[in-house]
Amino acid sequence: MQSFKDIIRRWDSTSALAADIGQPTKTVQMWLFRDRIPAVRWTKIVAAAHLRGWDDINLGLLASLASKKAGQHPHSSSRRSLRQRSPQDRAS
């Protein structure tokens, strides 16, 4: 699996995953659209996958995907530095 989308698509539908982890279907649909799963939900995803016999979905895989995703954003460092600057600095 190369993305969070791949993990979400392992289920038959977003509503099936949502039911397995107790989240609204719309929430899971947004994860699919954004190709992200919030870290706070990882343990439930792993537990739900385990109940289905999918032991290849684990915390290590999710962390690896998140790490890759973080490194892909071309403007992540410039956004971070902009947030750290004071409002006066940003105006100039």
Side-chain angles (χ1 to χ4, degrees), residues 81-92:
S81 64
L82 183 61
R83 283 191 300 249
Q84 291 172 348
R85 292 169 41 202
S86 71
Q88 295 84 4
D89 290 339
R90 282 185 240 150
S92 57

Side-chain angles (χ1 to χ4, degrees), residues 9-84:
R9 288 182 178 138
R10 188 79 179 265
W11 275 259
D12 292 333
S13 65
T14 53
S15 59
L17 172 55
D20 280 0
I21 63 171
Q23 289 293 307
T25 300
K26 280 282 192 193
T27 299
V28 176
Q29 288 170 341
M30 288 308 299
W31 296 347
L32 181 64
F33 176 75
R34 294 181 177 143
D35 192 20
R36 292 194 184 280
I37 299 173
V40 69
R41 303 292 179 226
W42 291 359
T43 55
K44 287 199 174 202
I45 299 270
V46 170
H50 179 74
L51 288 174
R52 289 178 176 261
W54 304 333
D55 293 328
D56 56 326
I57 297 176
N58 54 57
L59 292 175
L61 173 62
L62 294 168
S64 174
L65 293 174
S67 177
K68 287 179 190 174
K69 194 104 174 107
Q72 287 178 352
H73 197 289
H75 302 293
S76 60
S77 61
S78 62
R79 284 186 177 182
R80 195 173 309 114
S81 64
L82 183 61
R83 283 191 300 249
Q84 291 172 348

